[in-house]
Structures are given as structure tokens and as C-alpha cells.
């Protein structure tokens, strides 16, 4: 295992070398190979074979070997003309031979006797059979990409056209709307996205941007995509599922371009079910996607440029349904809760055998002990006296809008405006120094701003995790180079990066004027990103304020370097290489830095029976403290400090692949890959790991300088009281554990051409996929004293929540009794996280057996 310092050093050295030597990308290339025969069927060794890329005019020249075979690999995808000549034979030419990503295109020639100055143009269609490898997948060319209908013009949806690929399981991040997919039953996060042979995977925690990839050029800029789901080469790693490999178009000797404008408009749409049910006017929806792409030569046959721009503008009425206080409750000044009974059905029974209608509000001050537990008395006529209510709660209740119907639940319907604006562009330059040297560079950029509203306006908000103001900025680059030492030895190096910055901010998130204090709530830290109300969760009503885990800011930075060498030896094509990645993905997502307060009716219902619909009365009642029983307040409070987690990890992969053409009919594919997935560490070693070993429980910390001075004596005493050892050590380094070091992944396959129209293929492989996005909560950076959280819970249904300083929890007290300074923490209510030391790398075993028959020149089954 390479140390983090060694990997960092290698990254900087390679970046420096980039300034002196050009670099090339490989996995978006293909192969042309075949055999040259005479009219009797005998092979012709030493024949000259010339291939020319029809778009750029770039040529390569080779010769057939002793067995009459030739091979050109790796070559750029596109259309080629191939010309073969040998002394005593007429030259033969075939044009418009298309080479797709990772395709081994077989083109055989049969030469006829004659003068070499004579040329025969071959018009017969090439066979569409896959005869050289056992991989399973699907190539989607530019024609299909441009012509197939795509919602949002997102080419990732095309992956679902591949056999064995389907939409993903339901999730709450909006990923399904961006083309997320599952291959052969694996989890979608096990897929690997590539663009121009460079990593294109988002590592930002929780996929905050709503996509598993970083860059998404417009479909008019994509030359080709290939989805591989089974038995793919050892050249590909990091994927337990599928590999989606996309390649940007390049310029050619001829100018080519396109322009577009796609419009969707609510004038063409029908109202949805909820709009009809609520007799609500259809909401606005206008979407414009517009842009252009263009490719041209800078120097014919040598230098080419391609670029594109796409803008997206969305204006959409978001139909929202929420639950607010009823008109009767509002009109009474939140004293009359009789409709909690009349608008519901059901009963509840207490320990005295008394039966009460559902919605009956009980007076917590009347709590008394009886045999077997406790009972309470209801408020007369379900009226909560005004003089028993708290002023803060009443002013917060006034933030709710008036209902739009007479129901108790889902009684508020509104159309609010959602906006989504994106500007994106890509630029690619290709240059051919000579027949043996080529280079290209690409830069991509996109900037998105969105507003996704919650159900309520102003500080009331009520939005969830996907709501608020959002900005997403992505960029990436690839620089790649190939050098052909001779027709049998080709070296390739590539380098690239992708970067994603996603920020989601609750309404008034940067307002530090102390909005909570305006409603009597004290102790909420007033710093940028932490503005707005706390999250106030009242059972039976929609929440007030923004959800917890806001502000949410995520980064995903992946730096990649790889080296590949191809050697053709006899009937073997050997390919081997190395890949290294440094992945930084810091984020800010404090769990409850504004506080999270909840009321669920436990103090206003029958003890140990409960009635969530009475929580609004519990919220309104002024808090009272009772050391025995009879108090009231929130039944749970969550809080945290405001901090960052600076996560990072390393990835290294080594592979060797041999494609052995054992005969003209039989090809074997042998390969093995070694993957090393570094554990998630922290740039500043700000991690702790709780190890709940029954024999020796312990709390581990990295040996970050000064960490011992950030741990309070109260926390140390709490650990000692529970028999938990405190260990500050660098024995395990950043990441706390032992990463698996023997992740060897064999790849085996064969392809047998039984006849000119029939092929039998099969393959087996092991595929490791450890870099699965697990969300932020499991992070060891969420351990005291770095980013830490508290959960203060009630002991039972009759006792109010108490803080670590002995004070009872109230809405007005806010977070004033919560120890947000690490040196004041004593361990009461503190959450700790832990992971196992011997982390197991997940892997998938894939096997396939395939029969392919050519029905017609361009149709196979």
C-alpha cells in the first residue's frame, strides 16, 4: 500500500511531467484487425495495410505478419478507409469502416492477381458479429444519441437500452431523474462513469447535485457511448456494476455543426390529478434548451477543434401539499381544538378504562399516578386556555398560511415557482504531430443555479432536504497522448481531473440577524450558512423552518493519472497499465447546528398511548418543569456544532490483459486486475473511531497535533465511567483500519466463430466496487471533538427533556444549554460513530454465455 505522502508526491511529479511531455487517453479507442488472403484462401504475409481516418485524414501504415494478420490498436473511434496492397496483386480498398468504443473491428481482405497500380473498391457489407471478445454491452452511436427522444437531452438515459440494465430503485436524492440505472441487479452506485477515458464519477456526499456523474455534455457533442455490463476487459476497474464510457466529438477536415432550441410549455400540457382534485389552475411550466456545436480544422490533416454550448432555462410551478392549522383553530386564536375530534375517527383508552375520542387534548398538569402507570384529564371541550399558551409558540403558529380546504390533513395546496438555469460548454483540440504521435485536450464547464421552494414562504419555509437555493458548478479536463514506437509497441499516458462544487442553502441561510431570537428562541449560533429558523417538527402539521443537515456544501475533486502499454507479439495482443487517483471530497453539513425540536403529542395524550394529532397543543402550551411528572416541552431536541469534514481517499489499479487469437476462428481473452481502495481519511486527521469491543471498548483518535487539548475532562470522565479506553495514536493512520490488499480480479473469456454467421462467446470475471457513496452520516469526521452532535430524548411520557447542564428543554431556551464548545462537553446525549477495522471490499462475480447469429448484413440476434 502506498502511503498518502507517496501518492501525493507521485501526483505532483506527474503534473510536472505533463508540462514537458504530452499525454493520451485510451479507453475511448478501438481496434481494426483482420487477415489478408489470396483467391485460393492462402494467407499473404508482408502485405502493406494503410488505414486513414476519414474525418481527419490521419493515416497509419502497417504490414501483415507471417500468418497474414494485421492489427491497428489503439485507434480513435470514427470511420476509416482501409487499403491493402502486395506485389503481384491488385490493391483493395474498403471505405466507411466504423470503429466504435472498445470495438475490435474485423476486416478481412481477399486480394486478386494483377498490377499493384490497379485498385478494387470493396462494397460488400462487413459482418456485424462480435468475434474477438466475450464482453457484454451496447454501443450507442451519434445518430441514435441525436435522434432518440431523451427527457432533458441526457445521454445517460440511453444506458437503459442495454440488456440487463433498468431504472434504479426508489431513492430520495432525485437521481432517477438524471439517468441513474442498475445493471444486472447491482446497486446503481456501483457503476463507473467515464468521459474521454477520464473518471467522471461524483464523490460528493449524498450525491447532493442529484447526479452520480460530474459532467454531462449535450447529446450533440457526444460522438459515442458504450455501456459494458459483463466480462469487460481488465483495463476497467472500480465498477461492480456497469461501465458507461462516453467520448466527445472532435473536429474534422470539414466544418460541421448544429444549433438547437427545444421547448416545452404548459400551454401544451394537461392539469395533473391533484390540480383537478383541488380545482386549482394548472401551474406554469416552461423549459427551453438551446445551444450550438461546431467542429472545424485549424490545420488540415493535423489540428482540429470542436466546441459546444448549451443553456437550459426552466420555470415551473411546483404543486405542493401541506398540513396547516384548520380555519377553526386559527379563528379561535389556537384555543379551540374541537375539530381534532370531529375530523377524525377512533378512540383511545387509559388505565382507568375510560375511552376518549381520537384528538382529545389532555392537560399535562393533571398527570397523576395510578396502579400500573399514569393518567391525565382532558381539557374541557378540547379548549386550551389562552393564558396557558406560550407567546413564542403562538407567534410561530401565525407563520402557517390559512388552509385551502376544510380537511384536517393535507389541507393546504399551493403552486410555488421553481427555477433552474444552466450554462455549459466543452472545448476539445486534437493535434497530430506525425503518424506516430497524437495529442488531444478537452475542458468542460457547467454552472447551474436552482431554487426549489418549500410549501411556505418566508422564514416558515417547511422545505425538505432537496429544497432551497442551490448552485452547482462542475468542470473537468483531459489531456492525452500516444506514441507509436513501432507497429507492435504503443505507449499511452493520460491525465485528467473532474471537480464538482454543490451548495444547497435554506432560505435566509446567510441572514445572521438572529431570526430565531425574533420568535423568542435563544442560543442559535449566528454565522453565515446557519441562518433561519430551527427545524420545528410538530406531528400532524408540516414542519416549520428548514430541515436539518443544512447548510449543505459538497466538493468532489478527482485527479487521475494512468500509464498504458500495448505490445503485439505474434498472435497475442498484450496490454498492461497503472492507474492512480487522488479523491478529495470535503463537505459542510452540520446535523443540527440550528437545532431540531420535535413535539409528537406524548404530553397531551394518554400516557404511553399517545395521539400525534394533539402535538399542536403540546407545542402551544407554555413549558412547565416538574422533577416528578406533569411537565411539558418538546419531547426531543437534536443539536450539533457547525463544522467541516475534509474527507479524502486514494485509489490504485494495476492490470494486464492478453487477447490471444489462437486461430482464425478462436480468440481467448485473459486478464487480471488488482484494485486497492484506500479508506476514507481526513486531510487534517480530524477523525475519531468508536470501537464497541465488549472485551475492550475504546475510543480511537488520530494523532492530530493538539487533539488531546480539545477533549474535555468531562468527556474523559464519561468514557472512564463506562469502561471505555481513550486512545490517541497514529498506528492506523487516517482512515482507521486495514484496507484489503489482495483485491485480485481475474477476467476470462473466449469467442469462437463457428461459421461466417454464427459466434459462440462466454466469459467470467470478478469486479471490485468499493467507492460507493454511503452518505455523510457514517463519516468518522462526525465524532467529537470535530463535528459532533447531541440527541436529548425524554425518559418517558411524563418527564420533560433535560439537558446535560440540568436545565429542562424549552423552545425559548433554544440551544443555550447545549455545550457547543468541545471543552464544555461532558458526554451526556453525545452521539459517537464507528466502523470496523478490517474493512471488506465488496465485489461481484459475473458470468455470461452468449450465442450470436447474423440474420442479415446489418441484423443479428
Amino acid at each position: 500500500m502506498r502511503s498518502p505522502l507517496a501518492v501525493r508526491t507521485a501526483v505532483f511529479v506527474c503534473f510536472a511531467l505533463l508540462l514537458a511531455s504530452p499525454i493520451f487517453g485510451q479507453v475511448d479507442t478501438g481496434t481494426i484487425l483482420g487477415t489478408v488472403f489470396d483467391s485460393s484462401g492462402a494467407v499473404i504475409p508482408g502485405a502493406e495495410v494503410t488505414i486513414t481516418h476519414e474525418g481527419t485524414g490521419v493515416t497509419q501504415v502497417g504490414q501483415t505478419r507471417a500468418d497474414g494478420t494485421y492489427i491497428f490498436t489503439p485507434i480513435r473511434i470514427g470511420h476509416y478507409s482501409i487499403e491493402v496492397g502486395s506485389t503481384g496483386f491488385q490493391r483493395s480498398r474498403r471505405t466507411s469502416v466504423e470503429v466504435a468504443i472498445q470495438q475490435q473491428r474485423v476486416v478481412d481482405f481477399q486480394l486478386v492477381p494483377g498490377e499493384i497500380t490497379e485498385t478494387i473498391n470493396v462494397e460488400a457489407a462487413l459482418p456485424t458479429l462480435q468475434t474477438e471478445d466475450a464482453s457484454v454491452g451496447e454501443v450507442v452511436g451519434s445518430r441514435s444519441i441525436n435522434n432518440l427522444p431523451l427527457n432533458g437531452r441526457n445521454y445517460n438515459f440511453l444506458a437503459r437500452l442495454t440488456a440487463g440494465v433498468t431504472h434504479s430503485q426508489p431513492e430520495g436524492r432525485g437521481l432517477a431523474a438524471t439517468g441513474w440505472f442498475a445493471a444486472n441487479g447491482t446497486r446503481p452506485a456501483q457503476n463507473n462513469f467515464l468521459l474521454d477515458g477520464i473518471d467522471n464519477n461524483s464523490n460528493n456526499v449524498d450525491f447532493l447535485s442529484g447526479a452520480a456523474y460530474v459532467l454531462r455534455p449535450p447529446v450533440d457533442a457526444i460522438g459515442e457511448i458504450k455501456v459494458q455490463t459483463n466480462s469487460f476487459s481488465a483495463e476497467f476497474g472500480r465498477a461492480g456494476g456497469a461501465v458507461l464510457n462516453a467520448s466527445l466529438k472532435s473536429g474534422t477536415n470539414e466544418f460541421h455543426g448544429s444549433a438547437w432550441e427545444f421547448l416545452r410549455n404548459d400551454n401544451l400540457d394537461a392539469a395533473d390529478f391533484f390540480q383537478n382534485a383541488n380545482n386549482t389552475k394548472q401551474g406554469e411550466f416552461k423549459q427551453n434548451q438551446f445551444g450550438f456545436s461546431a467542429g472545424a480544422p485549424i490545420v488540415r490533416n493535423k489540428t482540429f477543434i470542436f466546441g459546444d454550448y448549451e443553456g437550459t432555462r426552466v420555470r415551473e410551478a411546483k404543486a405542493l401539499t401541506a398540513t396547516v392549522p384548520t380555519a377553526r383553530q386559527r379563528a379561535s386564536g389556537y384555543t379551540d381544538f374541537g375539530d381534532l375530534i370531529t375530523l377524525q375517527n377512533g378512540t383511545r383508552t387509559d388505565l382507568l378504562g375510560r375511552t376518549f375520542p381520537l384528538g382529545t387534548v389532555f392537560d399535562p398538569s393533571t398527570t397523576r399516578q395510578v396502579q400500573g402507570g399514569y393518567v391525565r384529564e382532558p381539557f374541557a371541550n378540547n379548549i386550551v386556555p389562552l393564558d396557558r399558551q406560550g407567546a413564542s409558540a403562538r407567534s410561530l403558529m401565525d407563520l402557517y398560511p390559512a388552509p385551502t380546504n376544510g380537511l384536517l390533513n393535507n389541507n393546504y395546496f399551493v403552486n410555488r415557482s421553481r427555477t433552474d438555469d444552466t450554462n455549459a460548454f466543452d472545448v476539445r483540440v486534437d493535434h497530430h504531430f506525425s503518424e506516430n504521435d497524437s495529442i488531444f485536450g478537452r475542458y468542460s464547464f457547467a454552472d447551474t443555479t436552482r431554487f426549489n421552494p418549500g410549501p411556505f414562504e418566508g422564514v416558515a419555509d417547511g422545505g425538505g432536504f432537496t429544497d432551497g437555493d442551490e448552485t452547482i458548478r462542475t468542470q473537468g479536463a483531459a489531456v492525452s497522448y500516444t506514441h507509436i514506437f513501432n507497429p507492435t509497441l504503443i505507449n499511452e499516458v493520460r491525465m485528467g481531473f473532474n471537480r464538482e462544487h454543490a451548495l444547497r442553502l435554506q432560505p435566509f441561510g446567510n441572514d445572521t440577524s438572529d431570526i430565531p431570537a425574533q420568535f423568542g428562541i435563544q442560543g442559535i449560533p449566528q454565522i453565515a450558512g446557519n441562518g433561519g429558523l430551527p427545524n420545528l417538527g410538530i406531528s400532524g402539521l408540516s414542519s416549520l423552518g428548514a430541515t436539518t443537515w443544512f447548510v449543505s456544501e459538497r466538493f468532489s475533486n478527482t485527479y487521475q493519472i494512468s500509464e498504458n502499454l500495448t505490445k503485439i507479439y505474434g498472435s497475442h495482443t498484450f496490454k498492461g497499465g497503472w492507474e492512480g487517483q487522488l479523491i478529495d471530497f470535503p463537505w459542510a453539513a452540520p446535523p443540527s447546528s440550528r437545532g431540531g425540536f420535535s413535539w409528537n403529542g406524548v404530553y397531551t395524550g394518554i400516557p404511553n398511548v399517545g395521539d400525534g394529532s394533539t402535538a399542536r397543543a403540546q407545542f402551544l402550551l407554555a413549558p412547565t418543569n416538574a422533577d416528578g411528572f406533569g411537565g411539558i416541552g418538546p419531547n426531543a431536541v437534536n443539536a450539533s456544532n457547525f463544522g467541516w469534514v475534509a474527507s479524502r481517499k486514494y485509489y490504485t489499479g494495476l492490470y494486464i490483459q492478453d487477447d490471444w487469437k489462437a486461430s482464425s476462428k478462436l480468440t481467448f481473452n485473459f486478464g487480471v486486475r488488482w484494485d486497492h481502495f484506500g479508506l476514507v481519511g481526513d486531510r487534517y486527521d480530524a477523525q475519531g473511531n468508536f470501537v464497541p469491543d465488549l472485551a475492550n471498548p475504546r475510543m480511537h483518535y488520530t494523532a492530530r497535533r493538539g487533539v488531546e487539548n480539545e477533549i474535555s475532562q468531562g468527556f474523559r470522565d464519561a468514557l472512564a465511567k463506562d469502561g471505555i479506553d481513550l486512545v490517541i495514536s497514529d498506528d492506523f493512520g487516517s482512515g482507521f483500519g486495514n484496507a484489503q490488499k489482495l483485491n485480485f480480479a481475474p477476467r476470462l473469456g473466449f469467442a469462437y466463430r463457428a461459421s461466417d454467421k454464427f459466434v459462440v462467446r462466454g466469459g467470467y470475471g470478478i469486479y471490485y466496487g468499493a467507492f460507493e457513496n454511503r452518505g455523510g452520516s457514517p463519516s468518522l469526521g462526525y465524532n467529537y471533538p470535530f463535528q459532533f452532535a447531541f440527541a436529548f430524548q425524554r425518559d418517558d411520557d411524563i418527564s420533560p427533556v433535560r439537558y446535560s447542564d440540568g436545565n429542562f428543554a424549552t423552545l425559548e431556551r433554544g440551544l443555550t444549554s447545549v455545550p457547543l464548545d468541545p471543552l464544555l462537553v461532558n458526554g451526556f446525549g453525545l452521539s459517537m460513530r464507528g466502523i470496523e477495522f478490517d474493512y471488506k471490499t465488496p465485489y461481484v462475480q459475473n458470468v455470461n454465455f452468449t450465442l450470436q447469429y447474423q440474420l442479415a448484413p446489418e441484423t443479428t440476434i
Side-chain angles (χ1 to χ4, degrees):
M1 175 180 175
R2 297 170 67 94
S3 69
L5 178 60
V7 175
R8 282 195 288 262
T9 302
V11 169
F12 291 130
V13 169
C14 290
F15 265 96
L17 290 174
L18 176 61
L19 301 177
S21 60
I23 298 180
F24 179 75
Q26 177 188 24
V27 296
D28 59 343
T29 60
T31 299
I32 292 178
L33 73 162
T35 306
V36 180
F37 304 92
D38 63 17
S39 55
S40 69
V43 300
I44 302 176
E48 183 181 83
V49 185
T50 302
I51 66 170
T52 302
H53 192 284
E54 293 177 348
T56 63
V58 175
T59 64
Q60 288 182 245
V61 180
Q63 288 186 328
T64 58
R65 295 170 290 194
D67 59 357
T69 60
Y70 70 92
I71 184 170
F72 292 90
T73 186
I75 59 173
R76 173 134 187 87
I77 63 173
H79 289 84
Y80 285 83
S81 63
I82 309 171
E83 190 168 314
V84 179
S86 182
T87 303
F89 296 92
Q90 296 180 8
R91 301 184 70 85
S92 182
R93 180 191 299 125
R94 189 184 289 272
T95 59
S96 298
V97 176
E98 184 176 8
V99 178
I101 291 177
Q102 287 289 302
Q103 182 182 27
Q104 298 192 47
R105 190 62 144 150
V106 179
V107 187
D108 294 334
F109 285 87
Q110 188 174 60
L111 302 186
V112 299
E115 296 296 327
I116 197 169
T117 56
E118 299 176 297
T119 302
I120 298 175
N121 290 312
V122 181
E123 302 293 342
L126 287 168
T128 55
L129 297 172
Q130 179 180 316
T131 62
E132 302 300 314
D133 69 75
S135 65
V136 177
E138 186 75 29
V139 173
V140 184
S142 60
R143 179 180 299 179
S144 298
I145 293 172
N146 282 300
N147 293 338
L148 287 172
L150 287 170
N151 184 19
R153 291 169 49 77
N154 184 342
Y155 66 85
N156 290 278
F157 282 102
L158 295 172
R160 298 179 185 176
L161 299 178
T162 305
V165 174
T166 186
H167 56 80
S168 61
Q169 70 266 28
E171 43 73 38
R173 307 298 188 202
L175 291 156
T178 60
W180 221 31
F181 62 92
N184 297 330
T186 58
R187 293 186 298 274
Q190 292 282 311
N191 297 326
N192 186 13
F193 295 87
L194 300 172
L195 179 62
D196 289 329
I198 296 299
D199 185 284
N200 192 32
N201 296 284
S202 172
N203 293 282
N204 83 34
V205 170
D206 299 310
F207 293 122
L208 189 70
S209 64
Y213 48 80
V214 176
L215 301 167
R216 184 188 60 79
V219 293
D220 296 73
I222 295 296
E224 197 169 87
I225 67 171
K226 182 169 186 178
V227 182
Q228 298 182 86
T229 61
N230 198 299
S231 297
F232 43 83
S233 162
E235 187 177 355
F236 296 93
R238 197 191 151 163
V243 176
L244 192 153
N245 196 353
S247 179
L248 202 71
K249 289 179 179 177
S250 61
T252 64
N253 279 327
E254 302 297 328
F255 174 84
H256 60 274
S258 63
W260 59 89
E261 160 70 27
F262 291 88
L263 170 68
R264 293 177 61 188
N265 193 290
D266 57 87
N267 292 327
L268 307 174
D269 298 336
D272 66 25
F273 171 82
F274 295 103
Q275 291 166 335
N276 288 327
N278 288 276
N279 196 26
T280 303
K281 181 181 177 181
Q282 178 182 318
E284 175 191 31
F285 182 84
K286 292 178 173 62
Q287 176 174 298
N288 292 76
Q289 283 184 282
F290 52 90
F292 67 87
S293 69
I298 297 175
V299 179
R300 287 183 63 84
N301 296 332
K302 275 195 172 293
T303 309
F304 312 91
I305 188 170
F306 177 87
D308 65 80
Y309 162 81
E310 183 171 69
T312 302
R313 304 290 184 268
V314 178
R315 299 294 180 269
E316 178 183 11
K318 183 179 178 183
L320 294 166
T321 301
T323 300
V324 300
T326 65
R328 177 176 173 177
Q329 294 165 13
R330 291 175 63 88
S332 69
Y334 310 110
T335 60
D336 185 354
F337 291 96
D339 56 3
L340 291 180
I341 296 175
T342 60
L343 294 176
Q344 296 187 95
N345 296 313
T347 59
R348 295 288 188 271
T349 303
D350 69 4
L351 289 176
L352 297 178
R354 299 180 297 177
T355 299
F356 300 92
L358 185 66
T360 301
V361 180
F362 289 82
D363 184 349
S365 67
T366 64
T367 304
R368 68 184 190 277
Q369 191 168 16
V370 297
Q371 185 175 1
Y374 298 85
V375 296
R376 296 186 178 113
E377 301 303 318
F379 283 103
N381 300 316
N382 245 28
I383 302 288
V384 177
L386 187 64
D387 61 3
R388 293 279 303 275
Q389 297 182 18
S392 295
R394 283 200 308 275
S395 63
L396 287 165
M397 273 290 199
D398 284 334
L399 293 176
Y400 282 109
T404 58
N405 62 49
L407 301 176
L408 179 63
N409 299 307
N410 299 322
N411 56 3
Y412 178 71
F413 181 85
V414 66
N415 276 318
R416 297 199 64 197
S417 181
R418 172 183 174 270
T419 62
D420 188 337
D421 295 340
T422 299
N423 294 291
F425 70 86
D426 306 271
V427 177
R428 172 172 173 147
V429 176
D430 292 73
H431 179 69
H432 300 274
F433 296 99
S434 67
E435 183 180 302
N436 295 328
D437 296 276
S438 299
I439 186 174
F440 85 75
R442 171 192 50 84
Y443 177 75
S444 302
F445 176 87
D447 188 74
T448 298
T449 58
R450 296 177 182 142
F451 173 64
N452 204 34
F456 311 131
E457 295 184 359
V459 295
D461 185 25
F465 186 76
T466 59
D467 298 328
D469 291 296
E470 186 173 22
T471 59
I472 302 169
R473 176 167 291 184
T474 61
Q475 54 186 314
V479 182
S480 56
Y481 171 78
T482 185
H483 175 69
I484 303 174
F485 292 99
N486 58 59
T488 66
L489 185 63
I490 303 99
N491 190 67
E492 304 165 317
V493 189
R494 68 178 179 269
M495 180 177 185
F497 80 91
N498 66 63
R499 176 180 174 86
E500 181 177 42
H501 177 206
L503 171 64
R504 193 175 293 163
L505 184 67
Q506 70 275 15
F508 301 91
N510 285 328
D511 187 327
T512 57
S513 64
D514 207 348
I515 291 173
Q518 298 171 26
F519 294 90
I521 306 172
Q522 304 299 318
I524 309 301
Q526 294 301 293
I527 56 179
N530 206 47
L533 285 177
N535 180 253
L536 307 176
I538 308 167
S539 293
L541 294 174
S542 296
S543 296
L544 289 173
T547 186
T548 52
W549 297 93
F550 266 7
V551 60
S552 288
E553 186 169 14
R554 313 279 201 269
F555 291 88
S556 174
N557 305 305
T558 300
Y559 306 92
Q560 175 183 330
I561 303 170
S562 59
E563 160 68 22
N564 301 276
L565 184 69
T566 300
K567 173 63 180 176
I568 302 169
Y569 183 77
S571 57
H572 296 266
T573 300
F574 295 101
K575 185 179 290 185
W578 167 85
E579 177 182 357
Q581 292 182 4
L582 165 61
I583 304 168
D584 268 315
F585 55 113
W587 75 86
S592 302
S593 55
R594 294 186 317 284
F597 301 80
S598 60
W599 295 261
N600 65 5
V602 294
Y603 301 128
T604 48
I606 297 173
N608 298 317
V609 175
D611 181 353
S613 67
T614 69
R616 61 195 74 189
Q618 178 187 336
F619 174 74
L620 282 163
L621 283 167
T624 58
N625 302 329
D627 289 328
F629 50 84
I632 189 172
N635 47 267
V637 178
N638 293 291
S640 71
N641 67 332
F642 190 99
W644 277 80
V645 177
S647 293
R648 64 169 33 181
K649 55 192 176 186
Y650 300 89
Y651 169 66
T652 301
L654 297 169
Y655 78 93
I656 185 169
Q657 179 79 25
D658 176 21
D659 294 325
W660 174 34
K661 196 167 182 62
S663 71
S664 60
K665 293 181 177 292
L666 179 62
T667 300
F668 289 105
N669 313 117
F670 302 110
V672 64
R673 185 177 184 90
W674 176 77
D675 287 317
H676 185 270
F677 299 90
L679 299 179
V680 176
D682 186 274
R683 182 185 303 175
Y684 307 107
D685 289 335
Q687 287 187 320
N689 189 23
F690 175 60
V691 186
D693 187 329
L694 294 179
N696 180 27
R698 54 200 182 278
M699 189 70 197
H700 270 283
Y701 289 101
T702 55
R704 191 185 77 163
R705 181 176 300 175
V707 68
E708 61 277 4
N709 298 323
E710 301 175 39
I711 300 175
S712 69
Q713 187 59 47
F715 179 72
R716 295 172 186 265
D717 293 341
L719 292 181
K721 180 180 179 181
D722 290 331
I724 301 173
D725 292 336
L726 176 64
V727 181
I728 300 175
S729 170
D730 60 359
D731 289 347
F732 294 95
S734 188
F736 283 112
N738 300 310
Q740 212 163 273
K741 299 180 177 64
L742 299 177
N743 296 332
F744 289 99
R747 312 285 169 85
L748 306 172
F750 75 93
Y752 177 67
R753 185 164 55 179
S755 71
D756 290 341
K757 294 186 176 182
F758 184 50
V759 177
V760 180
R761 300 192 303 271
Y764 165 81
I766 292 178
Y767 305 86
Y768 287 93
F771 282 168
E772 185 164 338
N773 194 316
R774 297 177 298 166
S777 186
S779 171
L780 296 181
Y782 279 105
N783 268 318
Y784 169 85
F786 312 114
Q787 172 73 79
F788 52 93
F790 299 91
F792 301 102
Q793 304 285 341
R794 72 186 191 282
D795 291 330
D796 48 47
D797 283 8
I798 60 171
S799 304
V801 174
R802 191 188 295 269
Y803 288 125
S804 55
D805 64 357
N807 284 308
F808 290 99
T810 67
L811 178 63
E812 290 76 9
R813 188 180 300 280
L815 301 184
T816 54
S817 288
V818 179
L820 300 179
D821 182 338
L823 293 178
L824 300 178
V825 172
N826 63 14
F828 182 85
L830 188 67
S831 301
M832 294 191 294
R833 291 172 170 82
I835 64 169
E836 59 182 324
F837 268 73
D838 294 314
Y839 192 82
K840 305 300 181 185
T841 307
Y843 67 90
V844 173
Q845 298 185 69
N846 278 342
V847 63
N848 82 82
F849 182 76
T850 305
L851 305 176
Q852 186 180 22
Y853 183 77
Q854 184 171 336
L855 296 173
E858 295 184 358
T859 305
T860 64
I861 186 172

